[in-house]
Amino acid sequence: MSITNTPTSNDACLSIVHSLMCHRQGGESESFAKRAIESLVKKLKEKKDELDSLITAITTNGAHPSKCVTIQRTLDGRLQVAGRKGFPHVVYARLWRWPDLHKNELKHVKYCQYAFDLKCDNVCVNPYHYERVVSPGIDLSGLTLSSPLLVKDEYDYDNQQAHSSSESHLQTIQHPPSRPGPQETFSSPALLPPSEGSSSVAFWLVSAPEYWCSIAYFEMDVQVGETFKVPSTCPIVTVDGYVDPSGGDRFCLGQLSNVHRTENIERARLHIGKGVQLECKGEGDVWVRCLSDHAVFVQSYYLDREAGRAPGDAVHKIYPSAYIKVFDLRQCHRQMQQQAATAQAAAAAQAAAVAGNIPGPGSVGGIAPAISLSAAAGIGVDDLRRLCILRMSFVKGWGPDYPRQSIKETPCWIEIHLHRALQLLDEVLHTMPIADPQPLD
């Protein structure tokens, strides 16, 4: 919104709320955000200088100095909005700055006179009077400011233990759009220099495959239409809900017919809209830009690892306008090498356990230690192929936070096979064959 259209404290509450809603970061539902902002604006209507400070801070993204914006402290220190309680400075910092913020991550700036921690009768809720710090016990040293943290879609501020005790049960990781900045430029494919510790320089100097990825479209558990192959000459491909039949750098899902399509699937397809852009960078890294008005949900082993989760353990919600890396070729190569080596070693150890040949004091051999090794020994080609595949659903998510437990229960989704990664997997399998698990009888 231009400066000339920015409201002042003299404008109607509705105009001010509408303007401030345009700057929310997307971590909360629209209805909750509107209730929270309406509540704050009404409380500040009699304190015009503070309301003007809030408008200035939010509409300029903190670019201009602003005064404290205060509301009265409640008995327990928490604010109730739409039936939910939370610390007021955290509520508004989540709305306008950090959607994935947790309650112990805020530190007030030195010039804030009414910061929450000062325990004054009034509490400052100006999001730009606080800085984000790392929660105790969480190491974010390797992450950038836009890196995801675990947070449920319907985060309950009243649940004070959400981050510390329930994190292992949270499956949906949110990726809101980053702060507005220079427009990212799309790069053409270029060979990356070998990473430190690469097994061979020659590994990075091979020719690119003819197609950098294949995209299959599914409705529930049924593939619809033919697999769409993206030439390496098109590093950016758009997958949208429209009906243009042209190929190359655009896969239009709206043109595909399915005689078994249900009304629910049809409704979801209407919301795909501009869909997503997939971009191949370097030799095989992949980035996603969400162009749709609705979030997309991604299964990505790279994002799992960045968030400190086991591969395949989480679902990543990518918000409209977000632009995020979802696949790293070098990391995938290291992971497939490690898993193949682990499977090979475990298979050999399992065979030794069955034969009673495990060295060391108290070695018993037999079936019990063999069973403990069976999971690692059972890693097969299909397990390694999953490292080379991205899955993405439109509009509807899945996992413990949603009624759909599998992506195959979502109305419309795509599976993306990454050809360069599959090439590398083929090389790994040739140079490091996986031994078949030994029978346990």
Side-chain angles (χ1 to χ4, degrees), residues 94-169:
R94 275 175 54 89
L95 275 179
W96 283 309
R97 294 195 71 182
W98 304 288
D100 53 8
L101 181 72
H102 296 284
K103 66 184 182 70
N104 295 323
E105 294 179 344
L106 286 184
K107 176 183 178 182
H108 65 271
V109 296
K110 292 181 180 179
Y111 53 82
C112 182
Q113 298 178 321
Y114 297 94
F116 181 83
D117 292 339
L118 300 181
K119 302 190 185 306
C120 302
D121 289 339
N122 290 327
V123 178
C124 178
V125 295
N126 185 336
Y128 293 94
H129 277 205
Y130 294 88
E131 297 172 344
R132 187 173 188 177
V133 296
V134 176
S135 292
I138 303 175
D139 180 14
L140 297 184
S141 58
L143 302 183
T144 63
L145 288 177
S146 61
S147 294
L149 290 174
L150 296 172
V151 57
K152 284 193 72 167
D153 210 19
E154 298 79 24
Y155 182 81
D156 182 4
Y157 290 107
D158 206 19
N159 181 2
Q160 302 301 320
Q161 303 300 319
H163 186 55
S164 59
S165 65
S166 301
E167 185 170 293
S168 61
H169 302 293

